Amino acid sequence: MPDLLIELFSEEIPARMQGKAAADLKKLVTDGLVDAGLTYAGAAAFATPRRLTLAVDGVLAASPDTREERKGPKVGAPVKAIEGFLRGAGLTMDQLEERETPKGAVYFATIEKKGRPAADITGVVLEGTIRNFPWPKSMRWGTGTLKWVRPLHSILCILSDEAGAAVVPLEVDGIKSGDTTQGHRFMAPGKITVTGFEDYAAKLKKAYVVLDAQERADHIWEDAKQAAFAQGLEIVDDQGLLREVAGLVEWPVVLMGDIAEDFIELPPEVLQTSMREHQKFFSVRNPKTGRIEKFVTVANRETSDHGATILAGNQKVLFARLADAKFFWENDLRTVKSVGLAGMGKPLENVTFHRELGSQADRIARIEKLAGEVAPLVGAKPDLAKEAARVAKADLSSEMVYEFPELQGVMGRYYALRADLPESVANACEMHYSPLGPSDDVPTEPVSVAVAFADKLDTLTGFWAIDEKPTGSKDPYALRRAALGVIRIILSNDLRLRLDRFIDSQLLKHEIAQNADAADAAELAALESTLDEIADHGVFGAAFRAVLDKLDGDAPAIGDGTLLGRIEAKMPDVSVDLLGFFHDRLKVHLKEEGIRHDVIDACLNMPGNDDLTLLVKRAEALAAFLKTDDGENLLQGFKRANNILSQAEAKDGVEYSFGADVKFAEDDTEKALFAALDDAQSAIAPAMQGEDFAAAMTAMASLRAPIDAFFEAVQINTDNQIVRRNRLNLLARIRDICHGVADLTRIEG
Amino acid sequence: MTDTRPKSFQEIILRLQNYWAEQGCAILQPYDMEVGAGTFHPATTLRALGTKAWAAAYVQPSRRPTDGRYGENPNRLQHYYQYQVLIKPSPPNLQDLYLGSLRAIGIDMDLHDIRFVEDDWESPTLGAWGLGWEVWCDGMEVSQFTYFQQVGGHDCTPVSGELTYGLERLAMYVLGVDHVMDMPFNDPMSPIALSYGDIFKQTEEEYARWNFDIANTDVLLRHFEEAEVECAAILSHDHIDPKTGKRIIMAHPAYDQCIKASHMFNLLDARGVISVTERQAYIGRVRTLAKQCADAFVLTSAGGHTPESEWL
């Protein structure tokens, strides 16, 4: 069976696209072959900066012949029907066969298709693959219409077996297939003819091309480690950079160079970022000092001077880059020294955060206030939290962060320490951005927690206040990430706080800021007073009414169309919507932790659902409970009770909720259930008080046996109306007790 | 081509001129207006449009007011030179032609590491984009290499290949100079040897001061708005000139106004009077002009228009 070799040779393919392109080539071609009836033994794809290669072993020499029998119309059927059948089968009348069937004589057609040679199929499949290749970005060139990632120069496509290799003929946009490729652009220019994959890979290696990206990466990593180790140093791990660099070279040559003494005192993050982002250099660290002392660059060729010229050039470029970085660092330190870190952030007054949400300085002032308010609940000193919030974003005005935005926070920490601010404040500069993703570290130091929480909640409430919420895949302000951040900060730190209060007060602050110009003094005063009251009342509505009550006849107008009327109407909806957004993010988060959505729904339906720590404790206990036999059976018992009760209530038009009395109990199981409910209730109440959900659920589980026995022995809907009503009221007690723990009606199954 | 290393900034320019002349390019002169980059020269922006073949190379003095550093930064200037090559359709050996130009200015391919690193080019002000690379020599970006896909909102068919060399940076590397102002402009053995600094140090100071602190922003803003109005006005005229009876679409005069508006925007930006949100709006206004000019150019004969195509 022949082997297939394909190479698509082009101008330089972006490093980041090579891996997926090789995989796509493999999938598209092998799927195409198989669809056409050509099976194969194995396939492997490769990519270098200038080529995508696919080797398919053991391809069938031709697709198998096929034979298909089709039953047609009856003999004597209308001519039109027979003609239609012939058209579909691609046959003529004389090729049909008449056969007797139990229903009479029927025409049968036998359609035979000869297999096609592998070369024919491959040519068609490859042409289709090239024309429809899923590049993330592609282009045209010259006068052609073909789209490829960069100009495509040649197509190598051969089928080879014992008899030798044959070119699979195809032509795409004027490019004819052949059996030649090229080696390294500089070290081995010229055409190479190949006869099969092994020949190809061996000839390429001789022509200074390592075909396999992983082999290039391993080679770079090993050589770099060796070079560093020989001098008692270590390479800073960076797999992303390694992958990228392996996609920039066909013949990797590792060169290690020095970082001039002038720059070694720069923060290691600055050296690393500058070297990685601009030069794609690896950082080389001295394990004893933790300092970055050298760099590794990867050239694409060997030279007669063993890379001396290349290294000198790279060193020179790095010198210029680091001179810039040092210049920024020193300027920033000078700024911090003369005006302090808060002073460095002064220009943020003139930087717009969002057209409707004011400047960065306005934002920082809001975060500062909120951080102070939340501080006691997270164990931070309010003054420290406020100080940290004041300076946490100051480095956005630094020259270093202007140049390297990814160093935001990191630089703030350095500058805070240089400004002799407390360490917890310095740490908050860096950590308040966290967590950035689902696996990023969550801040734990109280001051950082307070600022991180305040920052994210202010952003969320701000965008909710101006109705800029994420829709579908659009989330330009990363609000989902911010909400998940708040959730993870609360859960990881076991924080006990009512989100409602903070959502409402922060939303109201945004409303006040946005309406400050339009509002009159009395309106503003009423809103400010409401803000003060929210802490006591928990939510906006109650606080607002309390303020109006106090103002009595002096209250500003709140009718339709007035400012206060509009805010009063809008606030609760926006607040509920934002809390719902948190709950949705929480569901996604808990689902990833293995908690089912219906379990979460059962807990969301309980009071206090804006206390996320409590909510999750309840959900975890319920999830664990439902996994036990008792839990599962109790759930069934509860559902049975609830169904009977709901039906009876619907039929009778009353709600059975009170008055079950043991004196009307007729059956022993009925009496036992009364006793069990009393016991459970007296155990559940203190457990719920103490938020010990596991204990409450254990107590609930003790109801399982009595409920089962009760349903076994007793007919609820008896003719005796007194007994019936008493039993329905008894079922209502089951419902109430269970409802106190979680809304079990939400549980599926 | 010569194997010797060039001695001066101007020799590098002269060698590039000779090299691209040998490759058959028309060697044009700089455009006589203030532009931010060689791409703004109508020989690139407009000629990349339409179906007619084109091959041109030129030096373009370019101005980026915000990059001014009073001549003190070794690498940054508010006025600098770009070398620009535009060939339509892009020839299949454009990469080799480009590498030949590096050899011509004395870069020995056997000792240096030349790399093509992904860099997609986009000019929001010109409504243009293309795919290509920045070319690295030993880790330093020495050129931009772009296959134009769209200009002024029009698909480029055929596609032009564009090469842009940042001349000062490239020359500093070839000549081994660390500070741009120290670079020999003419042969250092000349009777009157002149450095880059002899010619440009003072002007960098003067323009940096004017760009950052002095330029009258009211006047700049007015110029911007006038250019915008004039551009539209020029293009609104009937295609048939009533005086000569000829079909004369004034794409180039209109495009001059677009260039002017773009430069006024750059100056306003350097004066720090354009906020982040306004920036986008200004860029969008210039892009609208660029698109209108492109729309007009493709209706001209240089833009591939023929009397017959009018009826297609």
Side-chain angles (χ1 to χ4, degrees):
Chain A
M1 277 188 282
D3 297 331
L4 171 64
L5 175 64
I6 293 170
E7 185 206 59
L8 304 172
F9 184 84
S10 68
E11 296 177 14
E12 278 76 359
I13 306 167
R16 66 190 169 92
M17 300 179 188
Q18 291 167 18
K20 182 171 179 296
D24 286 340
L25 177 65
K26 180 171 152 184
K27 183 167 167 34
L28 291 170
V29 171
T30 55
D31 283 0
L33 296 181
V34 170
D35 285 350
L38 281 191
T39 56
Y40 62 96
F46 307 91
T48 80
R50 293 211 289 167
R51 63 200 88 221
L52 295 181
T53 301
L54 174 65
V56 188
D57 296 338
V59 182
L60 287 182
S63 59
D65 297 345
T66 57
R67 186 170 190 278
E68 187 197 344
E69 201 164 79
R70 273 190 211 170
K71 187 177 167 189
K74 279 185 189 165
V75 174
V79 178
K80 284 216 159 143
I82 297 173
E83 279 175 352
F85 177 63
L86 286 171
R87 246 196 325 279
L91 296 177
T92 52
M93 194 65 204
D94 56 318
Q95 291 170 304
L96 295 185
E97 189 191 333
E98 284 179 33
R99 275 192 224 163
E100 282 305 320
T101 70
K103 289 182 182 167
V106 170
Y107 287 114
F108 276 83
T110 305
I111 306 160
E112 287 183 337
K113 273 193 195 146
K114 293 295 281 174
R116 291 153 68 211
D120 289 5
I121 293 174
T122 304
V124 172
V125 167
L126 182 55
E127 183 178 346
T129 300
I130 293 172
R131 290 199 186 277
N132 303 303
F133 204 80
W135 291 109
K137 256 186 187 174
S138 59
M139 52 163 274
R140 294 170 290 108
W141 61 95
T143 50
T145 55
L146 180 65
K147 287 192 156 192
W148 199 248
V149 63
R150 293 293 183 276
L152 179 66
H153 280 268
S154 70
I155 301 169
L156 182 158
C157 186
I158 54 174
L159 278 162
S160 45
D161 55 19
E162 299 76 23
V167 171
V168 172
L170 75 140
E171 184 176 336
V172 185
D173 225 34
I175 307 166
K176 286 199 176 84
S177 58
D179 59 357
T180 60
T181 182
Q182 295 181 44
H184 191 281
R185 185 193 282 283
F186 300 107
M187 297 182 75
K191 281 201 156 79
I192 301 169
T193 304
V194 301
T195 57
F197 178 68
E198 274 174 33
D199 181 49
Y200 167 80
K203 281 180 176 159
L204 278 186
K205 196 156 270 181
K206 263 193 210 139
Y208 303 98
V209 175
V210 180
L211 187 59
D212 185 358
Q214 190 58 49
E215 188 184 335
R216 293 195 300 272
D218 291 347
H219 173 89
I220 293 167
W221 194 243
E222 279 313 309
D223 276 13
K225 264 199 332 208
Q226 289 293 335
F229 180 75
Q231 304 201 24
L233 304 171
E234 63 188 16
I235 306 286
V236 176
D237 188 25
D238 193 336
Q239 293 300 314
L241 181 61
L242 180 60
R243 263 195 306 280
E244 183 179 2
V245 170
L248 288 173
V249 292
E250 293 200 309
W251 192 251
V253 175
V254 165
L255 300 168
M256 189 161 78
D258 295 323
I259 295 171
E261 195 59 37
D262 316 29
F263 307 124
I264 288 186
E265 289 310 320
L266 284 171
E269 292 93 336
V270 170
L271 289 172
Q272 250 172 281
T273 305
S274 175
M275 296 203 293
R276 183 184 60 223
E277 296 305 314
H278 290 314
Q279 303 303 134
K280 309 199 192 298
F281 289 171
F282 292 93
S283 296
V284 182
R285 181 167 51 204
N286 184 337
K288 289 187 211 88
T289 59
R291 295 195 313 192
I292 309 289
E293 295 182 350
K294 286 177 187 283
F295 69 88
V296 157
T297 181
V298 182
N300 187 31
R301 65 163 306 150
E302 294 167 14
T303 60
S304 57
D305 65 354
H306 305 290
T309 306
I310 296 173
L311 193 57
N314 275 286
Q315 230 149 241
K316 194 167 186 168
V317 180
L318 180 64
F319 192 97
R321 290 285 187 195
L322 294 184
D324 270 355
K326 189 170 182 231
F327 177 75
F328 302 143
W329 168 248
E330 283 169 354
N331 280 354
D332 287 345
L333 289 183
R334 208 171 299 134
T335 305
V336 168
K337 199 171 170 200
S338 65
V339 297
L341 188 51
M344 175 184 258
K346 190 101 168 64
L348 294 175
E349 287 169 8
N350 301 318
V351 177
T352 308
F353 168 57
H354 182 281
R355 195 166 34 86
E356 291 177 67
L357 296 175
S359 69
Q360 288 282 20
D362 296 335
R363 176 184 175 213
I364 289 166
R366 287 193 304 265
I367 296 171
E368 180 187 338
K369 193 151 186 292
L370 179 55
E373 287 164 14
V374 80
L377 295 171
V378 305
K381 289 204 181 90
D383 284 350
L384 270 185
K386 285 164 81 171
E387 181 175 14
R390 211 156 38 234
V391 298
K393 294 192 188 293
D395 67 351
L396 294 180
S397 299
S398 70
E399 295 187 16
M400 189 70 86
V401 173
Y402 182 81
E403 184 70 12
F404 298 112
E406 62 269 53
L407 287 179
Q408 69 175 16
V410 172
M411 297 321 299
R413 183 171 169 279
Y414 281 107
Y415 297 146
L417 291 173
R418 292 293 181 119
D420 291 324
L421 296 175
E423 196 161 347
S424 62
V425 170
N427 291 341
C429 292
E430 182 171 359
M431 285 306 292
H432 84 280
Y433 289 107
S434 296
L436 286 171
S439 54
D440 193 24
D441 285 345
V442 175
T444 53
E445 209 176 344
V447 173
S448 296
V449 170
V451 182
F453 174 88
D455 183 10
K456 290 167 177 60
L457 194 70
D458 179 69
T459 299
L460 285 160
T461 49
F463 285 104
W464 248 256
I466 61 170
D467 200 22
E468 285 267 6
K469 298 180 282 193
T471 49
S473 61
K474 286 208 190 93
D475 185 8
Y477 305 107
L479 300 179
R480 292 193 181 100
R481 191 171 77 183
L484 179 63
V486 169
I487 290 168
R488 292 189 61 215
I489 288 169
I490 290 175
L491 298 184
S492 298
N493 291 293
D494 233 352
L495 299 183
R496 299 305 303 275
L497 50 85
R498 303 293 302 261
L499 262 185
D500 262 345
R501 168 198 153 185
F502 291 103
I503 288 175
D504 280 8
S505 69
Q506 208 62 16
L507 276 175
L508 185 54
K509 278 183 221 164
H510 285 293
E511 290 295 342
I512 292 172
Q514 279 157 41
N515 293 296
D517 294 339
D520 64 33
E523 287 170 329
L524 272 183
L527 291 172
E528 292 286 355
S529 314
T530 308
L531 202 49
D532 296 337
E533 297 274 342
I534 287 181
D536 292 337
H537 291 82
V539 288
F540 165 80
F544 188 64
R545 280 187 297 277
V547 168
L548 293 186
D549 285 351
K550 249 186 248 171
L551 289 172
D552 201 15
D554 301 331
I558 60 160
D560 285 352
T562 65
L563 178 65
L564 293 187
R566 260 190 293 123
I567 292 177
E568 190 196 13
K570 172 184 171 188
M571 276 284 297
D573 290 345
V574 177
S575 170
V576 166
D577 191 59
L578 179 53
L579 185 61
F581 183 72
F582 275 109
H583 284 156
D584 286 344
R585 301 332 295 165
L586 180 66
K587 278 193 206 174
V588 174
H589 176 64
L590 291 181
K591 208 170 161 193
E592 277 154 20
E593 314 260 295
I595 298 183
R596 290 183 351 219
H597 69 94
D598 56 336
V599 171
I600 303 163
D601 282 336
C603 301
L604 278 179
N605 242 18
M606 303 300 295
N609 67 5
D610 61 332
D611 179 340
L612 302 185
T613 300
L614 186 74
L615 180 61
V616 171
K617 264 171 86 173
R618 192 192 296 264
E620 282 168 350
L622 182 57
F625 176 61
L626 289 176
K627 283 192 187 125
T628 64
D629 274 355
D630 278 353
E632 180 54 30
N633 289 324
L634 177 81
L635 178 66
Q636 298 313 326
F638 164 81
K639 288 203 161 172
R640 193 167 169 189
N642 192 49
N643 286 341
I644 293 169
L645 198 50
S646 307
Q647 281 162 15
E649 285 177 335
K651 182 165 160 249
D652 304 346
V654 292
E655 187 182 328
Y656 294 100
S657 57
F658 185 71
D661 196 329
V662 72
K663 78 180 179 213
F664 298 117
E666 293 182 334
D667 190 277
D668 281 350
T669 60
E670 199 171 2
K671 287 174 190 152
L673 183 56
F674 268 100
L677 285 170
D678 289 343
D679 288 349
Q681 214 158 14
S682 59
I684 288 173
M688 291 301 291
Q689 196 73 34
E691 294 173 3
D692 185 348
F693 297 109
M697 288 182 198
T698 309
M700 219 161 68
S702 70
L703 292 173
R704 173 215 166 167
I707 290 176
D708 285 354
F710 171 71
F711 279 125
E712 193 73 26
V714 168
Q715 171 96 31
I716 308 285
N717 290 314
T718 69
D719 293 340
N720 182 333
Q721 286 307 309
I722 293 177
V723 174
R724 176 175 177 269
R725 196 178 317 118
N726 197 54
R727 284 179 181 163
L728 287 169
N729 281 326
L730 182 61
L731 295 186
R733 277 191 68 192
I734 298 177
R735 181 171 69 183
D736 285 352
I737 287 176
C738 293
H739 257 167
V741 181
D743 182 359
L744 296 183
T745 59
R746 296 281 171 150
I747 303 293
E748 292 166 4
Chain B
M1 200 178 111
T2 165
D3 294 330
T4 54
R5 286 172 49 134
K7 296 183 205 65
S8 64
F9 185 54
Q10 71 191 28
E11 188 180 345
I12 289 172
I13 295 175
L14 292 169
R15 286 195 192 186
L16 285 173
Q17 299 277 53
N18 280 327
Y19 177 82
W20 286 108
E22 281 163 20
Q23 308 312 319
C25 286
I27 303 302
L28 302 184
Q29 300 306 318
Y31 202 57
D32 57 343
M33 291 185 72
E34 299 110 320
V35 295
T39 308
F40 273 85
H41 195 309
T44 290
T45 314
L46 295 183
R47 294 290 176 158
L49 293 163
T51 51
K52 284 195 171 174
W54 181 255
Y58 54 88
V59 176
Q60 180 62 50
S62 305
R63 300 194 189 212
R64 293 194 180 164
T66 46
D67 277 355
R69 295 293 183 273
Y70 303 85
E72 281 158 17
N73 186 293
N75 303 301
R76 275 188 206 269
L77 299 160
Q78 57 82 39
H79 171 282
Y80 66 106
Y81 291 105
Q82 283 192 342
Y83 196 82
Q84 176 90 2
V85 180
L86 190 88
I87 305 181
K88 180 174 78 175
S90 64
N93 63 339
L94 188 57
Q95 277 187 315
D96 290 334
L97 291 177
Y98 168 74
L99 292 171
S101 75
L102 294 187
R103 279 191 199 97
I105 57 172
I107 294 179
D108 180 354
M109 297 290 153
D110 289 332
L111 287 178
H112 292 277
D113 181 30
I114 308 291
R115 229 82 76 67
F116 292 86
V117 180
E118 177 188 15
D119 188 41
D120 300 342
W121 173 82
E122 188 185 8
S123 169
T125 31
L126 289 177
W129 68 277
L131 298 190
W133 311 273
E134 43 182 60
V135 185
W136 285 15
C137 175
D138 303 335
M140 189 181 70
E141 182 192 341
V142 289
S143 305
Q144 286 278 338
F145 192 128
T146 308
Y147 292 101
F148 277 180
Q149 302 294 302
Q150 251 191 11
V151 173
H154 291 256
D155 280 345
C156 299
T157 43
V159 168
S160 302
E162 182 210 40
L163 307 172
T164 304
Y165 306 71
L167 282 172
E168 281 82 356
R169 191 148 42 146
L170 179 61
M172 282 166 68
Y173 189 71
V174 171
L175 299 170
V177 176
D178 290 327
H179 198 297
V180 63
M181 294 300 169
D182 298 334
M183 180 162 62
F185 202 101
N186 60 1
D187 186 338
M189 304 306 283
S190 310
I192 301 173
L194 293 170
S195 71
Y196 197 94
D198 291 334
I199 299 167
F200 287 117
K201 174 79 168 93
Q202 181 179 325
T203 54
E204 280 297 307
E205 284 176 353
E206 292 177 6
Y207 277 103
R209 184 175 178 197
W210 183 72
N211 291 338
F212 288 133
D213 303 320
I214 305 300
N216 183 326
T217 55
D218 294 337
V219 172
L220 294 176
L221 192 60
R222 201 174 67 229
H223 284 346
F224 179 95
E225 279 161 359
E226 285 168 357
E228 193 179 29
V229 170
E230 180 66 6
C231 181
I234 293 171
L235 293 175
S236 71
H237 283 275
D238 197 275
H239 291 178
I240 305 300
D241 171 24
K243 194 168 82 192
T244 62
K246 287 184 177 176
R247 182 171 177 278
I248 305 178
I249 298 170
M250 295 165 286
H252 285 81
Y255 181 61
D256 285 351
Q257 299 302 318
C258 170
I259 293 178
K260 193 176 278 179
S262 172
H263 182 59
M264 290 304 128
F265 163 71
N266 289 341
L267 288 170
L268 285 163
D269 197 25
R271 287 286 278 114
V273 295
I274 292 182
S275 73
V276 183
T277 30
E278 285 174 320
R279 261 187 82 81
Q280 290 314 315
Y282 274 101
I283 289 172
R285 285 163 74 178
V286 178
R287 181 168 56 241
T288 304
L289 299 184
K291 282 191 167 158
Q292 288 166 353
C293 296
D295 294 347
F297 180 75
V298 296
L299 296 177
T300 68
S301 101
H305 176 89
T306 57
E308 300 81 56
S309 66
E310 214 162 322
W311 306 105
L312 291 180

